[in-house]
Amino acid sequence: MEPIINIRRLFLNVVGGLSLILGVIGIVLPLLPTTPFVLLASACFMRSSPRFHQWMHSHKTFGPIISNWEQHRAVSRKVKRRGAVLIVLSFTFSIIVVPHFWLKVGLLIGLVVLITWFVRLPIHESVDHGQENH
């Protein structure tokens, strides 16, 4: 059973690492969301690497996002506003760019589903408002 545990740990570390990289890229690239990738990385590292999980929790940018989600299953107003705008912008751009009508319809359906879920997420403001998701 030991090799299966090692393969699972390796898989979770790879997914966590890739998610963290995408989350970091999302800080500077407006069309890539930071919060979902950071939360996914945290969940992966929680099961595979306690050291990285602890590092993420103590990070000045990622820590408040993760703590807010784990404690309250909520995001800050700033994260929610930025996320909603970027979701709409990225889907709008994709709908304009894709050549096929059926792809446009699929993207529009995806947009409606995603934005409906996202705007329904609860809002919880951290005590330290200035630290979350710069």
Side-chain angles (χ1 to χ4, degrees), residues 91-111:
F91 269 85
T92 301
F93 175 76
S94 298
I95 290 169
I96 292 169
V97 170
V98 296
H100 302 291
F101 179 75
W102 62 271
L103 285 174
K104 293 177 188 282
V105 171
L107 284 168
L108 184 60
I109 292 169
L111 170 61

Side-chain angles (χ1 to χ4, degrees), residues 35 38-39 42 53-76 124-127 132:
T35 303
V38 168
L39 294 176
S42 175
H53 187 251
Q54 181 57 39
W55 174 81
M56 288 186 71
H57 265 275
S58 62
H59 193 274
K60 71 176 191 164
T61 301
F62 304 138
I65 296 169
I66 296 166
S67 295
N68 202 14
W69 181 256
E70 287 181 353
Q71 292 171 7
H72 308 286
R73 289 292 186 249
V75 295
S76 71
H124 183 270
E125 295 299 334
S126 301
V127 173
E132 191 164 326

Side-chain angles (χ1 to χ4, degrees), residues 10-97:
L10 176 65
F11 175 76
L12 289 171
N13 277 326
V14 168
V15 172
L18 290 173
S19 297
L20 184 58
I21 289 168
L22 290 172
V24 169
I25 293 170
I27 293 172
V28 294
L29 189 64
L31 296 178
L32 195 62
T34 300
T35 303
F37 288 116
V38 168
L39 294 176
L40 178 59
S42 175
C44 289
F45 290 142
M46 180 174 62
R47 292 163 180 84
S48 65
S49 176
R51 189 174 109 211
F52 277 124
H53 187 251
Q54 181 57 39
W55 174 81
M56 288 186 71
H57 265 275
S58 62
H59 193 274
K60 71 176 191 164
T61 301
F62 304 138
I65 296 169
I66 296 166
S67 295
N68 202 14
W69 181 256
E70 287 181 353
Q71 292 171 7
H72 308 286
R73 289 292 186 249
V75 295
S76 71
R77 188 174 312 281
K78 179 180 177 182
V79 166
K80 193 170 189 177
R81 189 176 325 121
R82 182 184 300 164
V85 168
L86 293 176
I87 288 169
V88 170
L89 286 176
S90 63
F91 269 85
T92 301
F93 175 76
S94 298
I95 290 169
I96 292 169
V97 170

